[in-house]
Amino acid sequence: MAVTISDVAHAAGVSKGAVSYALNGQPGVSAGTRERILQAAKELGWKPSLRAKGLSSAKAFALGLVVARDPSLLGTDPFFPAFIAGIETALSEHDYTLVLSVATGAGAEERCYRKLAENGRVDGFLLTDVRHDDSRIPLLQELKLPAVTLNRPDSDSPFPAVSMDDCAGITAAVEHLVALGHTRIAHVGGGQEYIHGRSRRQAWESALATAGLPADLFEAADFTAAGGMAATAELLRRTDKPTAIVYANDLMATAGQYYAQTQGLSVPGDLSVTGYDNADFTQYLNPPLTTVATEPMLWGRVAAQVLLNQLSNSHDGEDTVLQAPTLLVRASTGPAPAGEAAPNAPVPPHYTCTQQAPQHPDTPPTLCFP
Amino acid sequence: MAVTISDVAHAAGVSKGAVSYALNGQPGVSAGTRERILQAAKELGWKPSLRAKGLSSAKAFALGLVVARDPSLLGTDPFFPAFIAGIETALSEHDYTLVLSVATGAGAEERCYRKLAENGRVDGFLLTDVRHDDSRIPLLQELKLPAVTLNRPDSDSPFPAVSMDDCAGITAAVEHLVALGHTRIAHVGGGQEYIHGRSRRQAWESALATAGLPADLFEAADFTAAGGMAATAELLRRTDKPTAIVYANDLMATAGQYYAQTQGLSVPGDLSVTGYDNADFTQYLNPPLTTVATEPMLWGRVAAQVLLNQLSNSHDGEDTVLQAPTLLVRASTGPAPAGEAAPNAPVPPHYTCTQQAPQHPDTPPTLCFP
DNA sequence: GATCTCTACTAAACCGGTTCAGTTGGGAGT
DNA sequence: ACTCCCAACTGAACCGGTTTAGTAGAGATC
């Protein structure tokens, strides 16, 4: 059996309580005794039992992440693995672990949160894929567990948010296309129940408005390849079909680009395409995809850090805003087809291309890392 | 505060012990009393505290999965998300959860296993990406925790394995290429420290031997896109360059196909390409990739199930063999270039194409699901 | 030198379950 | 009627920590 606090107490010739004080840096033991206890603990190789700690302090020393995506879609999205890796970097420094659940099917998500909370598995949750009027926010309030949301929800939320602005990346994509002379720039949106689905659409609308162009080429989809393909087919069927499509993520862009090519269109000759996320494989598409390089690892690390700070009461409750992702121009975007360019918009000079992922400060400005 | 076992005992007018017996289906309480206790527990909405249960029974009610891949590679591999989703389907039925750790950097992996074990976080581990002479096997024996390995390790292992044969898929790919008239069929291997890297290479060698062809076009890589691209470049530089390349995974195949196209080669006109894994995006490549459709979700479910059975002592210790994955023929493979085909091997008739993922029985044959 | 106060420490309760060692009461056996 | 036995149940110990209440002893105060 493993060595317990009683063994240490016996070895050091003190009581259990004294050992507990000494090892938690609490007052109540003299410097000499403390030293003796620490020495004994080290010699015996004592590791406090998290189970016992958890029982007496009513903590789980774990954070929860519930993923409610379709498993088949999960595998295609590069976001989660990197996001999780980021969480780990923050957790590994404190004795916390990540409890991951995948909920599939209606109602499964809520059951999942309830179960983890009621079983006392976790001390807090990381909320991803925040939805319009997200039901998980009142749920977690009911369950009385702290949380951190990725981006600020559109409903009232008492939880701090860690945000990475969608708007800038989409705006940059639209501006890039406008500069290339495109005037019919469509958007294939992600699920509009997600706030990032909505915000990307809104960013597209505003950017077009700024450029004095109509935002009438919208097709809703669901972030899946199949959805992106169907939406693309719909757009290309129109008489006023677009010369460029801004997709809400890479997977839809990949499928859309593929579909356009099967229809005999050249990318970017006849149709320019942009994605979002910078999935690894997009640089090996033919043509490589112009996309927006997000930093899911950083996001995960900061979100976990904020949640941990909240648990140790050292968080100020403020939202954290991460640096906005930047556009990565590759070969899937090009000048608008001849005869399509607006009269006063000749092919512009070379567009500034961000080839490197942007530099991020090690710690975001609004966070106080201990 | 939540309702405890004492509350239930008081409500039912019995002792704590009786409640414990009643709720665990143990003998020692009469049917009537049992009924009364269950009734009281239900009325009070009692949920047993996993923390307390864990402390007294020295269990964690969790399984561990340590992923030792580079985070950037993690995001590109569709295996893990699907595998994890499979694990979840098995765990959700029992009150178990998954503790996920991402270990990066030398030594981090072992520290990770040790930490989870010493902290009593998990009751067993799922071992993926098994390596040649894998050091984790003696490690876990030392830590005295049960485990399940994906595929049988090449060193002595006391742990049951859940295997999905690599050989059949690669063999089918080679046979498919041979039938198309190819005689110079290369292999870009995954990391040869991994047993699946080795077994895929061996499968390629044997299949070529069976076809009476030499296996001299091998290039080692590391399952990454960059590695696949470099290996492809190396192969295409040779004077006896291949007309077909069998890659050990989709990511390398994607990068390789892309590289070949940038060099002015037509796929499959000049070069046929096959992948492995059936990552979702591969069907949207140009051309769509011929690949081997594995079932990571099934794999995860069965592996978790075997480990759970082991924990409840209901596992027989036998290995479980899952149905071998099948070849999915798409457009990245075609007849060998003219003048390249073997004299007596005309373009063959249409090759049978498995368009559907294979049907798997709900429960694998060698497993006894309760 | 008696009291007062503070530090350093101990003993025991506690978290919420499981489990072991007894105790009780009723029915069978003789 | 007496023992014997077993099912049914209780009380307490236990898992390994934290925390509270209480105590011994040293030093300061008057």
Side-chain angles (χ1 to χ4, degrees):
Chain A
M1 208 47 221
V3 35
T4 75
I5 200 172
S6 299
D7 300 330
V8 177
H10 185 254
V14 294
S15 69
K16 279 169 62 179
V19 177
S20 178
Y21 292 141
L23 282 132
N24 294 321
Q26 299 207 1
V29 271
S30 66
T33 310
R34 182 179 305 258
E35 196 52 47
R36 199 154 37 89
I37 293 172
L38 292 174
Q39 181 65 23
K42 177 170 281 181
E43 275 171 13
L44 294 174
W46 179 68
K47 300 262 172 188
S49 151
L50 272 186
R51 286 197 199 105
K53 255 182 133 112
L55 179 59
S56 59
S57 62
K59 282 200 270 184
F61 302 100
L63 303 185
L65 176 65
V66 176
V67 178
R69 297 199 184 175
D70 187 74
S72 68
L73 178 56
L74 247 184
T76 63
D77 196 325
F79 174 81
F80 275 104
F83 180 70
I84 288 171
I87 296 173
E88 292 288 341
T89 62
L91 295 191
S92 62
E93 295 162 18
H94 311 69
D95 258 321
Y96 270 71
T97 54
L98 176 69
V99 170
L100 179 70
S101 281
V102 179
T104 53
E109 188 185 28
E110 179 170 339
R111 262 181 282 124
C112 216
Y113 279 101
R114 282 193 184 280
K115 204 165 174 180
L116 289 177
E118 286 168 357
N119 281 344
R121 290 282 197 178
V122 299
D123 299 321
F125 282 105
L126 295 157
L127 257 67
T128 61
D129 287 341
V130 177
R131 297 183 289 265
H132 170 61
D133 222 347
D134 202 313
S135 62
R136 293 174 297 172
I137 289 168
L139 173 63
L140 288 181
Q141 288 180 277
E142 176 198 334
L143 295 174
K144 300 205 177 15
L145 279 181
V148 162
T149 60
L150 295 204
N151 289 335
R152 174 133 293 276
D154 53 6
S155 54
D156 245 16
S157 159
F159 306 118
V162 176
S163 305
M164 191 176 281
D165 177 37
D166 282 304
C167 189
I170 296 286
T171 303
V174 171
E175 284 173 356
H176 166 54
L177 292 166
V178 168
L180 287 167
H182 293 270
T183 54
R184 291 203 303 285
I185 301 171
H187 179 53
V188 170
Q192 296 296 302
E193 67 273 27
Y194 295 106
I195 57 169
H196 59 291
R198 296 183 170 218
S199 61
R200 289 175 198 176
R201 176 189 182 169
Q202 283 162 7
W204 164 78
E205 282 172 355
S206 335
L208 283 183
T210 304
L213 295 169
D216 55 351
L217 289 160
F218 174 76
E219 201 63 48
D222 56 359
F223 288 121
T224 70
M229 194 141 117
T232 306
E234 194 59 44
L235 284 171
L236 296 181
R237 203 172 292 140
R238 297 173 66 141
T239 51
D240 60 338
K241 67 177 176 220
T243 62
I245 306 181
V246 172
Y247 290 83
N249 75 349
D250 282 345
L251 199 59
M252 296 196 296
T254 303
Q257 167 169 315
Y258 170 75
Y259 175 80
Q261 290 171 329
T262 62
Q263 299 303 301
L265 293 179
S266 149
V267 176
D270 302 313
L271 183 72
S272 285
V273 163
T274 73
Y276 200 103
D277 280 343
N278 189 26
D280 206 50
F281 66 84
T282 57
Q283 57 187 305
Y284 303 108
L285 296 180
N286 194 358
L289 190 66
T290 293
T291 187
V292 177
T294 60
E295 293 226 44
M297 237 182 110
L298 174 72
W299 213 352
R301 206 190 75 215
V302 174
Q305 189 63 262
V306 167
L307 188 47
L308 287 174
N309 287 345
Q310 222 184 330
L311 291 174
S312 60
N313 292 318
S314 66
H315 189 260
D316 54 12
E318 294 284 305
D319 280 10
T320 306
V321 179
L322 300 178
Q323 196 170 104
T326 54
L327 186 68
L328 211 56
V329 176
R330 297 204 190 100
S332 69
T333 46
E340 304 274 358
N344 295 326
V347 174
H350 189 63
Y351 187 84
T352 307
C353 169
T354 308
Q355 285 293 3
Q356 295 285 327
Q359 294 295 321
H360 281 272
D362 248 43
T363 54
T366 58
L367 255 190
C368 171
F369 284 76
Chain B
M1 207 47 222
V3 35
T4 75
I5 200 171
S6 299
D7 300 331
V8 177
H10 185 253
V14 293
S15 69
K16 278 169 64 177
V19 177
S20 177
Y21 292 141
L23 281 133
N24 294 320
Q26 298 207 1
V29 272
S30 66
T33 311
R34 183 180 305 260
E35 195 53 47
R36 198 153 38 87
I37 293 172
L38 291 174
Q39 181 66 24
K42 178 170 283 180
E43 276 171 13
L44 294 174
W46 178 69
K47 299 265 172 190
S49 151
L50 272 186
R51 283 196 201 106
K53 256 185 135 112
L55 180 59
S56 59
S57 62
K59 282 201 270 185
F61 301 100
L63 303 185
L65 177 64
V66 176
V67 178
R69 296 199 186 178
D70 187 74
S72 68
L73 178 57
L74 247 183
T76 61
D77 196 324
F79 174 81
F80 274 103
F83 180 70
I84 288 171
I87 296 174
E88 291 290 341
T89 62
L91 294 191
S92 62
E93 295 162 17
H94 311 71
D95 258 322
Y96 270 72
T97 54
L98 177 68
V99 170
L100 181 69
S101 281
V102 179
T104 54
E109 187 184 31
E110 178 171 339
R111 261 181 283 126
C112 215
Y113 279 101
R114 283 192 185 282
K115 203 165 174 181
L116 289 176
E118 284 167 0
N119 281 344
R121 289 283 197 178
V122 300
D123 299 322
F125 283 105
L126 295 156
L127 256 67
T128 62
D129 287 342
V130 178
R131 297 183 289 265
H132 170 60
D133 221 348
D134 202 314
S135 62
R136 294 175 297 172
I137 290 169
L139 174 62
L140 289 180
Q141 288 179 276
E142 178 198 332
L143 296 174
K144 298 207 180 10
L145 279 181
V148 163
T149 60
L150 295 204
N151 290 333
R152 175 134 291 277
D154 53 6
S155 53
D156 245 16
S157 160
F159 306 118
V162 176
S163 305
M164 191 176 282
D165 177 37
D166 282 304
C167 189
I170 296 288
T171 304
V174 171
E175 283 173 356
H176 165 56
L177 292 166
V178 168
L180 287 167
H182 292 271
T183 54
R184 289 204 305 284
I185 301 171
H187 179 53
V188 170
Q192 295 296 301
E193 67 273 28
Y194 295 107
I195 59 170
H196 60 291
R198 296 183 171 218
S199 62
R200 288 176 199 176
R201 176 189 182 170
Q202 283 162 8
W204 164 77
E205 283 172 356
S206 330
L208 284 183
T210 305
L213 295 169
D216 55 350
L217 290 160
F218 173 76
E219 201 64 48
D222 56 359
F223 289 122
T224 69
M229 193 141 118
T232 306
E234 195 58 44
L235 285 171
L236 296 182
R237 204 172 291 140
R238 297 173 66 141
T239 50
D240 60 337
K241 66 179 179 218
T243 63
I245 306 181
V246 172
Y247 290 84
N249 76 348
D250 282 346
L251 199 59
M252 295 196 297
T254 302
Q257 166 170 316
Y258 169 76
Y259 175 80
Q261 290 172 331
T262 62
Q263 299 302 301
L265 293 179
S266 149
V267 176
D270 303 312
L271 182 73
S272 285
V273 163
T274 73
Y276 200 102
D277 282 342
N278 190 25
D280 207 51
F281 66 82
T282 58
Q283 58 188 305
Y284 303 107
L285 296 179
N286 194 1
L289 191 66
T290 293
T291 187
V292 176
T294 60
E295 293 227 45
M297 235 180 114
L298 174 72
W299 213 352
R301 207 190 75 217
V302 174
Q305 189 62 263
V306 166
L307 188 47
L308 288 174
N309 288 345
Q310 224 184 329
L311 291 174
S312 61
N313 292 318
S314 67
H315 189 260
D316 54 11
E318 294 284 306
D319 281 9
T320 306
V321 178
L322 300 177
Q323 197 170 105
T326 54
L327 186 69
L328 212 57
V329 175
R330 298 205 189 99
S332 69
T333 45
E340 304 275 357
N344 295 326
V347 174
H350 190 62
Y351 187 85
T352 308
C353 170
T354 309
Q355 285 293 3
Q356 295 285 325
Q359 292 295 320
H360 282 273
D362 249 41
T363 55
T366 59
L367 255 191
C368 172
F369 283 77

